[in-house]
Amino acid sequence: MPTSTSAESPTSPTSFATPAPPDRCRSDLILFMAIAFGVSWASWFTAIGLGGSATQAPTALPYLFGAFGPLIGALVIRVRHGRRGEPAPEHVVRFRRTTLFRVPPLLALASATVLSAALLAHAAGGPALSWEDAKEGMRDAGGPAAFLISMVISGPLSEEPGWRGTAYPRMRASMGRFQVGLVLGVLWAVWHLPLFFIDGTVQNELGLKSPSGVLFAVSTIPMAMLTACAYERAGVVASIAVHFAVNTTMVLLDVKTPVTQAMIIGVQTIVATLLLTTSRPTSHPTALATGDGPGVR
C-alpha cells in the first residue's frame, strides 16, 4: 500500500517495538472494520440499487470502487499513525532483497494448491481441466497483460493492505494464529455478501444458497490462513502475491463446481496448517500491532 517515506526509524529484524496499548489496537481495528465495511457495502448496495451488470455502466463504477474499502481503511489507519508521529514500518518503505526472494516460491505454492486440487477433483470424477474459458476470459479483458493487471488490482491490491496489513497484526496482539484465521476468514466472507446480489459477479453466478456459494464462503478461512502465512514471511507484498496466484489460477481453470471447490479448501487447509505449525512468527504479536515490527503492514 502507499506509505510515507518520512518518520522512519531503524528497526533490527530481531528487535521489538514497544507494545501498543490494547485500547489502541482495538480502536484501530474497529475504525478499520468500520471503514472497510462502510465503504464497500455502501458502494455495493448502490450497485444493487442501480441494477444492471457489474461489467457495464453505471453499475460498474460503484461495484469496482467497493473493492477498495479495505485499502481505504488501511490508508486511514496509516495517516492516523502518522499524525501521532509513529513511524511507518521499515519493510513497507524499503524492499529487502532477502524478503522479496521469498515471494516467488510462495506465489508458486499458492497456485499449486489450486492446480493440484483441480487435478485431484478430476481424478475423483470431477470436470477435466480446460483452457478454453481462460483464453476467452483473457480476450474479453483485452489481452493477457490487461487480464493480469486486472487480477492484481481487483482483490489482491485492493484488499491485502487492509485484511493482512492492518487487521491481521492487530488481531494477533490478542489472538493465536489459527483463531485469527478463523475470525478474519468469517469477517472476510461476510464482507463479500453483497456481491452475491450484483449481476455479473462471480459470487452472483455461484448463487448465495447453492453449494458453490456456501463453499466460496467457507474457502475464505483457509485463504485467510494462507495469505497470513505469506504475510508473516515476507510482508504484504507476499500476501498480495498469494491472493493473486489463487484467484488467477481459479479463473484460468474456471473453478466453479462444488467438488473442485471442496478439494481446494481441503488442500489449502492442509498447506496453511503445515506452514503455521512449522514456522515461528517473524515478530512478536504486540510488536506487530504497533506498526513498527518487521513483518507489518
Side-chain angles (χ1 to χ4, degrees):
M1 59 178 270
T3 54
S4 171
T5 56
S6 63
E8 275 188 66
S9 67
T11 307
S12 71
T14 56
S15 66
F16 300 130
T18 303
D23 288 346
R24 182 180 299 178
C25 288
R26 192 178 304 112
S27 65
D28 281 349
L29 188 59
I30 291 173
L31 178 59
F32 165 75
M33 291 294 177
I35 295 171
F37 275 85
V39 170
S40 297
W41 280 25
S43 300
W44 289 337
F45 278 113
T46 299
I48 294 171
L50 289 172
S53 173
T55 60
Q56 298 176 347
T59 307
L61 185 59
Y63 161 68
L64 293 172
F65 184 75
F68 290 86
L71 177 58
I72 294 171
L75 289 171
V76 170
I77 298 301
R78 183 63 255 155
V79 170
R80 190 187 197 196
H81 278 241
R83 288 180 175 176
R84 294 173 182 159
E86 297 169 351
E90 182 185 0
H91 89 284
V92 174
V93 181
R94 297 196 187 104
F95 290 112
R96 297 176 180 174
R97 293 179 182 178
T98 55
T99 298
L100 290 180
F101 285 150
R102 300 173 188 171
V103 174
L106 290 167
L107 186 150
L109 177 62
S111 182
T113 62
V114 179
L115 180 59
S116 61
L119 292 171
L120 289 171
H122 175 56
L129 302 185
S130 172
W131 296 103
E132 293 305 316
D133 290 329
K135 293 177 182 178
E136 183 179 349
M138 283 190 281
R139 284 195 300 268
D140 293 341
F147 169 76
L148 292 175
I149 291 172
S150 68
M151 292 304 298
V152 170
I153 295 174
S154 178
L157 187 60
S158 63
E159 297 181 34
E160 288 305 315
W163 299 125
R164 251 57 61 183
T166 302
Y168 178 79
R170 287 162 178 80
M171 295 174 75
R172 278 285 286 126
S174 59
M175 298 182 188
R177 288 160 150 185
F178 289 98
Q179 188 178 5
V180 174
L182 176 61
V183 175
L184 194 53
V186 170
L187 288 170
W188 203 10
V190 173
W191 178 78
H192 281 93
L193 282 179
L195 295 176
F196 284 94
F197 303 96
I198 302 176
D199 185 48
T201 64
V202 173
Q203 293 80 6
N204 183 263
E205 185 177 350
L206 295 176
L208 180 60
K209 296 181 180 179
S210 70
S212 293
V214 172
L215 288 169
F216 172 85
V218 174
S219 71
T220 59
I221 295 174
M223 264 293 286
M225 293 194 295
L226 199 61
T227 49
C229 292
Y231 174 78
E232 288 199 347
R233 281 164 171 75
V236 75
V237 173
S239 67
I240 288 173
V242 166
H243 194 155
F244 164 78
V246 170
N247 282 7
T248 303
T249 308
M250 290 185 69
V251 170
L252 291 175
L253 296 179
D254 195 29
V255 173
K256 294 177 183 176
T257 61
V259 62
T260 307
Q261 288 179 291
M263 200 67 72
I264 292 172
I265 290 172
V267 171
Q268 290 185 344
T269 299
I270 293 171
V271 171
T273 300
L274 288 173
L275 290 174
L276 288 174
T277 55
T278 57
S279 67
R280 299 177 64 183
T282 54
S283 186
H284 192 275
T286 51
L288 285 173
T290 64
D292 299 322
V296 195
R297 225 188 319 270

